[in-house]
Amino acid sequence: MGSTGGRRLNVNNINPHVRAAKYAVRGELAVKSEEYRAFIQEGHAGLPFDKVISANIGNPQQLDQKPITFFRQVLSLIENPILLQHEDVLLNQLGYKPDVLERAKWLLTQVGSVGAYSASNGVPAIRKSIADFLERRDGFPAKQSDIYLSAGASSGVNTLLHVICADDKSGILVPIPQYPLYTASLSLLNARCVPYLLDESKNWGTDLATIKSSYDAAVAAGTDVRAIVIINPGNPTGASLSGEDIRAVIEFARQHRLVILADEVYQTNVFVGEFISFKRALRELQRETPGAYDAVELASLHSVSKGMVGECGHRGGYFELVNFDPEVQAEIYKFVSIMLCSPVVGQCLVELMVHPPAPGEPSYELYRQEYDGIFESLRGRAAALHKAFAQMEGVECGEPQGSMYLFPTIALPEKAAEAARAEGRSPDEFYCMRLLEATGVCVVPGSGFGQKEGSLHFRTTFLAPGTEWVGSIVKFHKEFMDKYR
Amino acid sequence: MGSTGGRRLNVNNINPHVRAAKYAVRGELAVKSEEYRAFIQEGHAGLPFDKVISANIGNPQQLDQKPITFFRQVLSLIENPILLQHEDVLLNQLGYKPDVLERAKWLLTQVGSVGAYSASNGVPAIRKSIADFLERRDGFPAKQSDIYLSAGASSGVNTLLHVICADDKSGILVPIPQYPLYTASLSLLNARCVPYLLDESKNWGTDLATIKSSYDAAVAAGTDVRAIVIINPGNPTGASLSGEDIRAVIEFARQHRLVILADEVYQTNVFVGEFISFKRALRELQRETPGAYDAVELASLHSVSKGMVGECGHRGGYFELVNFDPEVQAEIYKFVSIMLCSPVVGQCLVELMVHPPAPGEPSYELYRQEYDGIFESLRGRAAALHKAFAQMEGVECGEPQGSMYLFPTIALPEKAAEAARAEGRSPDEFYCMRLLEATGVCVVPGSGFGQKEGSLHFRTTFLAPGTEWVGSIVKFHKEFMDKYR
């Protein structure tokens, strides 16, 4: 027997692009927080906290947000259609309303069984329902053949970047701070991330001069800039763009022939101002100046994970393509077909999200009440957290505007920066690690999203209920500042 | 306003690797069959058939295979946990058994809400349950930390190939015929497919001399061959490998330092012989010759889509890593974390699959009856189809051995080959297209899986119920042969 010479794979010979990818939302801090959680669950004591608060990721139902009753009732029936043979029991003993049964029957007619693969781009009737929703939302027609169901928005982003990036010169404009899915996916594809800074002084809005200078610098460096990512409302920043800002981005995209990737998964998480879709803005520009914008390609993404739905674990989402070349769409279809189809229950949940009970329907009142309750509760939690930040020395944070996050700036003493360097960490990482160790609260350092050189931040969700955890952050911060002052 | 110069993306400037990828299972024939299906559904007449039979893809529940009752009852409860407040109704009026309620409660304790993201590698308790199953199946220990839940096996393959392939010289040995997921994924990664032919004369078993000569030729061409894919039981061929063949492959992998990717999704679809897992065979070799096989890396994949479960639409699956470097596993964890987690309901279904009702438990009898019923029905359909092929001129097909497919050889007249060339198709594509047009039966040409130069095949599932469709194939074939004789 010859010598095997050890394992074939080691961290130095695997795909270097996988190794280069960074994904802080689920990085070292998240792993450590899960270890703490397991430690507590196993009944161990000795930590300075009795509960881990995962404020690192927008995962509402992990933090006790209740699912919408109508959605889950329908899903229970499509999982076990035999229940529909007991209408009396459902209606009179289990609190199901007639519209729940109707919707479940309709979905079953359309999907057959949720255990069967659907068409790779999604169940046709669900795509039609999404198109109808988009027409209602935007006031412009939408076609089911332009809609692609996906396993959450993440998988949609993966698809689109795979098709758009042709080689190692391809570049994509990505906002900084950003959700790290974009940089991680571009690393995997060995394509170029062309960062453009959002303007913290304008509540993290887009600044066209900044975008332009990033674009110019990238082109000068030989980058074939192909698309611009806009996250609206912003992640991690929560900002909603004005109609004017959106039109400016579209105009920029038109002039420079950039595909627009509009990540609009927080479209219902808006506390200040109003959500305006890129689709609507683009169609308005097309109407105002016929012919001028017809070649501006837009992909808009949405998801069941956010909003008042919060069904992350179901992995449902979709994207709509606007003004895309049919031959390119055929390649996108082929790409998604390799993974067969997105989860069919997740597809059904997308249908329920875009087509909830309407006024006058039996399930409407409860739906409205649950939806509004979640919205108000999120707004209240955001305000409480924001208020706490206002009391904290060296912490600055704009008014909560939307999404599920706050992204405060923190000014840390030089001694803290020194201690961080001694540990081989950036100061914001160091701060977040100490916060986790002291309080069990897991947040993500700003460096995980990108931040302006010399500035420090962290991102926290405002999903956790109660105020105790907020108090523990305030207390930790004071002690931290005192220690390193 | 400057001219936009048209759209940014066209089929000639998008990612060339996406364009190069081929995925025949959902290709032109499948798209055409869906058009026929829609045409019939809309009430149109005029086709020579009144029903489309999708025999192109292993999608049991689309072809009326019933889901296992226990599984779906549990899923209905975890989707709508409020139902658990009505135990009386569930037990006395809806036919749920106590073990259904218990399992649902246990799963809910473990996952929290199925609407929450889980750990990126899957819910810990579900990984533990899979490890227990693997121990029972193989007689060797398994660790939950080596198990990664995935959205079907496809997504697991995607993960593994992404990590293993480092650059455009990386090559993976892939059986021919193969499931086109492998070639398509390698195209996307711009890595090299190193095909090795299976031996049709030995019921599509592996032939080590063939593997060796493919390997040697690839190495001579500068390919860095890193892994070997084995599909066992085979897809599209249905063959189960003997223990001896499996050990020979492991020995080959050891000698040439190849990672083994064992696609074992058909492990319960075995009519002839016995399924032996690569894990068991590897551990046995490790026990017999201590030290010699400890560096042989194995990834074994499984899924809820096949077997008697057939829950394709739920996108559940997992892979187990054996003898992998922990640092490489950390990179795999990071990779899967970018897509957050696999569908949580799909994860629960994996748990149910590997941990079904046991003898003596209230749901056992029905479970057993349903499971055996599906197994026998599949065996019966396979036999009927095989018998029909035996009557068809120029068609040769080995005894059905397992999986969900038959893969007959077809000898077509020269005039048919000429007609195919005139249409720009390969003869098997031409045959399958005519079959679809005449009968509504959609199968996949052998060229979609790869076949020995000069030989022609098609792959058909034997999932469709009834015998009418089989009769229509026989009739079509006779007419086709007569026409082109």
Side-chain angles (χ1 to χ4, degrees):
Chain A
M1 279 198 180
S3 155
T4 62
R7 294 185 178 104
R8 180 51 182 262
L9 301 180
N10 63 60
V11 78
N12 296 311
N13 71 7
I14 58 166
N15 185 342
H17 308 306
V18 170
R19 202 173 167 199
K22 287 193 166 55
Y23 193 69
V25 173
R26 295 227 157 181
E28 186 192 355
L29 275 149
V31 169
K32 191 157 186 182
S33 76
E34 290 304 325
E35 286 166 9
Y36 283 147
R37 189 192 308 279
F39 188 80
I40 294 168
Q41 220 161 24
E42 286 158 12
H44 299 293
L47 293 173
F49 46 86
D50 55 11
K51 198 175 167 184
V52 169
I53 303 277
S54 299
N56 56 311
I57 191 148
N59 194 4
Q61 294 188 18
Q62 189 196 33
L63 294 165
D64 301 331
Q65 180 175 310
K66 295 277 166 294
I68 303 265
T69 301
F70 177 78
F71 296 170
R72 293 301 196 89
Q73 287 179 331
V74 173
L75 295 188
S76 68
L77 298 178
I78 63 177
E79 281 291 6
N80 192 17
I82 291 167
L83 290 174
L84 286 164
Q85 296 170 7
H86 303 270
E87 292 206 358
D88 265 11
V89 177
L90 292 170
L91 295 171
N92 302 321
Q93 295 180 257
L94 298 176
Y96 285 54
K97 300 271 199 282
D99 52 347
V100 172
L101 279 57
E102 271 165 42
R103 186 68 66 88
K105 286 180 200 167
W106 180 79
L107 281 168
L108 284 168
T109 310
Q110 299 306 322
V111 305
S113 165
V114 293
Y117 293 125
S118 73
S120 295
N121 50 350
V123 176
I126 294 178
R127 285 185 279 122
K128 176 70 170 62
S129 189
I130 296 168
D132 292 345
F133 154 73
L134 293 170
E135 290 198 21
R136 289 192 303 273
R137 188 192 70 183
D138 297 330
F140 289 95
K143 287 201 310 236
Q144 60 154 303
S145 56
D146 292 330
I147 289 160
Y148 298 74
L149 275 295
S150 62
S154 300
S155 141
V157 168
N158 179 56
T159 298
L160 292 163
L161 292 179
H162 252 93
V163 172
I164 294 172
C165 297
D167 55 36
D168 59 8
K169 290 202 168 45
S170 298
I172 309 282
L173 280 156
V174 172
I176 298 296
Q178 54 108 26
Y179 179 56
L181 165 65
Y182 293 96
T183 38
S185 303
L186 290 170
S187 283
L188 292 174
L189 285 162
N190 195 26
R192 300 183 187 181
C193 175
V194 181
Y196 66 91
L197 287 172
L198 298 174
D199 188 349
E200 185 162 9
S201 72
K202 293 200 307 181
N203 243 320
W204 298 110
T206 48
D207 178 70
L208 216 64
T210 310
I211 296 177
K212 174 115 182 49
S213 73
S214 292
Y215 174 85
D216 289 342
V219 170
T223 304
D224 173 20
V225 185
R226 295 177 155 232
I228 179 167
V229 173
I230 303 277
I231 309 177
N232 181 46
N235 175 3
T237 67
S240 286
L241 293 181
S242 68
E244 197 182 338
D245 283 348
I246 292 171
R247 289 163 73 105
V249 168
I250 296 173
E251 176 57 24
F252 183 82
R254 187 190 70 78
Q255 284 172 14
H256 298 89
R257 297 183 65 215
L258 300 176
V259 178
I260 300 170
L261 297 181
D263 177 338
E264 302 182 319
V265 300
Y266 295 99
Q267 59 188 264
T268 59
N269 298 96
V270 175
F271 304 143
V272 176
E274 159 199 34
F275 168 72
I276 299 167
S277 73
F278 269 79
K279 166 88 178 287
R280 177 178 140 196
L282 175 56
R283 289 298 193 220
E284 283 173 357
L285 286 165
Q286 286 184 273
R287 187 170 59 191
E288 288 165 23
T289 316
Y293 294 88
D294 295 356
V296 177
E297 295 140 291
L298 164 68
S300 161
L301 298 119
H302 197 13
S303 159
V304 299
S305 299
K306 311 301 169 188
M308 275 29 82
V309 184
E311 295 277 9
C312 311
H314 276 101
R315 314 307 298 120
Y318 73 86
F319 57 87
E320 182 193 20
L321 300 180
V322 183
N323 296 339
F324 268 63
D325 183 323
E327 285 186 325
V328 172
Q329 290 198 211
E331 295 294 322
I332 290 172
Y333 180 89
K334 182 180 68 186
F335 182 86
V336 298
S337 75
I338 297 171
M339 292 289 126
L340 297 162
C341 68
S342 66
V344 175
V345 175
Q347 294 186 36
C348 292
L349 200 41
V350 172
E351 203 284 328
L352 295 167
M353 171 179 77
V354 301
H355 179 200
E361 291 176 358
S363 295
Y364 178 72
E365 257 187 69
L366 178 61
Y367 168 76
R368 188 79 254 165
Q369 185 187 319
E370 291 175 337
Y371 188 96
D372 292 347
I374 295 168
F375 184 86
E376 288 308 328
S377 159
L378 289 175
R379 200 215 305 255
R381 293 176 204 188
L385 190 58
H386 180 255
K387 201 172 147 195
F389 288 152
Q391 306 162 10
M392 282 159 58
E393 179 191 352
V395 173
E396 276 180 54
C397 186
E399 290 272 349
Q401 295 200 99
S403 81
M404 298 179 164
Y405 312 103
L406 292 180
F407 194 64
T409 310
I410 42 175
L412 296 180
E414 179 49 33
K415 270 169 78 179
E418 275 165 34
R421 273 192 295 277
E423 260 188 34
R425 295 184 193 281
S426 65
D428 51 342
E429 266 177 13
F430 179 78
Y431 177 89
C432 295
M433 188 57 86
R434 294 295 95 79
L435 174 67
L436 173 63
E437 289 164 355
T439 64
V441 176
C442 185
V443 300
V444 187
S447 50
F449 305 95
Q451 52 198 350
K452 204 169 174 173
E453 185 81 17
S455 73
L456 298 173
H457 301 78
F458 64 86
R459 184 189 85 165
T460 173
T461 69
F462 45 72
L463 298 171
T467 53
E468 205 181 316
W469 70 288
V470 177
S472 75
I473 297 177
V474 174
K475 179 163 170 286
F476 158 79
H477 185 76
K478 187 172 179 321
E479 289 166 3
F480 183 93
M481 295 301 273
D482 287 346
K483 177 164 179 187
Y484 293 103
R485 197 178 305 280
Chain B
M1 279 195 181
S3 155
T4 62
R7 294 184 179 104
R8 181 52 183 264
L9 301 179
N10 62 60
V11 80
N12 295 313
N13 70 7
I14 59 166
N15 186 342
H17 309 306
V18 170
R19 203 173 166 198
K22 288 193 167 54
Y23 193 69
V25 173
R26 295 226 157 180
E28 184 192 355
L29 274 148
V31 169
K32 190 157 186 181
S33 76
E34 290 304 326
E35 287 167 8
Y36 283 147
R37 189 191 308 280
F39 188 79
I40 294 169
Q41 220 160 24
E42 287 158 12
H44 299 294
L47 294 172
F49 47 87
D50 55 11
K51 199 175 167 184
V52 170
I53 303 278
S54 300
N56 55 313
I57 191 150
N59 193 5
Q61 295 189 18
Q62 190 197 34
L63 293 166
D64 301 331
Q65 181 175 308
K66 293 277 167 291
I68 302 265
T69 301
F70 177 77
F71 297 170
R72 293 303 196 87
Q73 287 179 331
V74 172
L75 296 187
S76 69
L77 297 178
I78 63 176
E79 281 290 6
N80 192 18
I82 291 167
L83 290 174
L84 286 163
Q85 297 169 9
H86 304 270
E87 293 206 358
D88 265 11
V89 177
L90 292 170
L91 294 170
N92 301 322
Q93 294 179 260
L94 298 176
Y96 284 55
K97 299 272 199 280
D99 53 347
V100 173
L101 278 58
E102 271 163 43
R103 186 68 67 88
K105 286 180 199 166
W106 179 80
L107 281 168
L108 284 168
T109 310
Q110 300 305 322
V111 305
S113 164
V114 293
Y117 293 124
S118 73
S120 296
N121 49 352
V123 176
I126 293 177
R127 284 185 279 124
K128 175 71 172 62
S129 188
I130 295 168
D132 293 346
F133 155 73
L134 293 171
E135 291 198 21
R136 289 193 303 273
R137 188 192 69 181
D138 297 329
F140 289 95
K143 287 201 309 239
Q144 60 156 305
S145 56
D146 293 329
I147 289 159
Y148 298 74
L149 276 294
S150 62
S154 300
S155 145
V157 168
N158 179 56
T159 297
L160 293 163
L161 293 180
H162 252 93
V163 172
I164 295 172
C165 296
D167 55 38
D168 59 7
K169 291 200 167 46
S170 299
I172 309 283
L173 280 156
V174 172
I176 297 297
Q178 52 109 27
Y179 180 56
L181 166 65
Y182 293 96
T183 38
S185 303
L186 291 170
S187 283
L188 292 174
L189 285 162
N190 195 25
R192 300 183 186 180
C193 175
V194 181
Y196 66 91
L197 286 172
L198 298 174
D199 188 349
E200 185 162 9
S201 72
K202 294 201 307 181
N203 243 320
W204 297 110
T206 47
D207 178 69
L208 216 63
T210 311
I211 295 177
K212 174 109 181 52
S213 73
S214 292
Y215 173 86
D216 289 342
V219 170
T223 303
D224 173 21
V225 185
R226 296 177 154 232
I228 179 166
V229 173
I230 303 277
I231 309 177
N232 181 46
N235 175 4
T237 66
S240 287
L241 293 182
S242 68
E244 196 182 341
D245 283 346
I246 291 172
R247 289 163 72 104
V249 169
I250 295 174
E251 176 57 26
F252 183 82
R254 188 190 69 78
Q255 285 172 13
H256 298 89
R257 297 183 64 217
L258 300 176
V259 179
I260 300 169
L261 297 181
D263 179 338
E264 302 182 320
V265 301
Y266 296 98
Q267 58 188 264
T268 59
N269 297 95
V270 175
F271 305 143
V272 176
E274 160 199 33
F275 168 72
I276 298 166
S277 73
F278 269 80
K279 166 87 178 287
R280 178 178 141 196
L282 174 56
R283 289 298 194 220
E284 283 173 355
L285 286 166
Q286 285 184 272
R287 188 169 57 190
E288 288 166 22
T289 316
Y293 294 88
D294 296 356
V296 177
E297 295 140 291
L298 164 68
S300 160
L301 299 119
H302 197 13
S303 158
V304 299
S305 299
K306 311 301 169 188
M308 274 32 82
V309 185
E311 294 277 9
C312 311
H314 277 101
R315 312 309 296 122
Y318 73 86
F319 57 88
E320 182 192 17
L321 299 180
V322 183
N323 296 338
F324 268 63
D325 184 322
E327 286 187 324
V328 172
Q329 289 198 212
E331 295 294 322
I332 290 172
Y333 180 88
K334 181 180 70 186
F335 182 86
V336 298
S337 75
I338 297 172
M339 291 291 127
L340 297 162
C341 68
S342 66
V344 176
V345 176
Q347 294 185 35
C348 293
L349 200 42
V350 172
E351 203 284 327
L352 296 167
M353 171 179 77
V354 299
H355 179 199
E361 291 177 355
S363 296
Y364 178 73
E365 256 186 71
L366 179 61
Y367 168 76
R368 189 79 255 165
Q369 185 187 318
E370 290 175 337
Y371 188 97
D372 292 346
I374 295 168
F375 184 87
E376 287 309 326
S377 159
L378 288 175
R379 201 213 306 253
R381 293 177 204 187
L385 190 57
H386 180 253
K387 200 171 148 196
F389 288 152
Q391 306 163 10
M392 282 158 58
E393 177 190 355
V395 174
E396 275 181 55
C397 185
E399 289 274 347
Q401 295 200 98
S403 81
M404 298 179 164
Y405 313 102
L406 293 180
F407 193 66
T409 311
I410 42 176
L412 297 180
E414 179 48 32
K415 269 169 81 180
E418 273 165 35
R421 273 192 294 278
E423 261 188 34
R425 297 185 192 280
S426 64
D428 51 341
E429 266 176 12
F430 178 79
Y431 177 88
C432 296
M433 188 57 85
R434 295 294 94 78
L435 175 66
L436 173 63
E437 290 164 355
T439 64
V441 177
C442 184
V443 301
V444 188
S447 50
F449 306 94
Q451 52 198 349
K452 203 167 173 172
E453 185 81 18
S455 72
L456 298 173
H457 301 78
F458 63 88
R459 185 187 84 165
T460 173
T461 70
F462 43 74
L463 299 170
T467 53
E468 204 180 316
W469 70 287
V470 177
S472 75
I473 296 176
V474 174
K475 178 162 171 287
F476 158 79
H477 184 78
K478 185 170 181 322
E479 288 167 5
F480 182 94
M481 296 300 274
D482 286 346
K483 178 165 179 188
Y484 293 103
R485 196 178 307 279

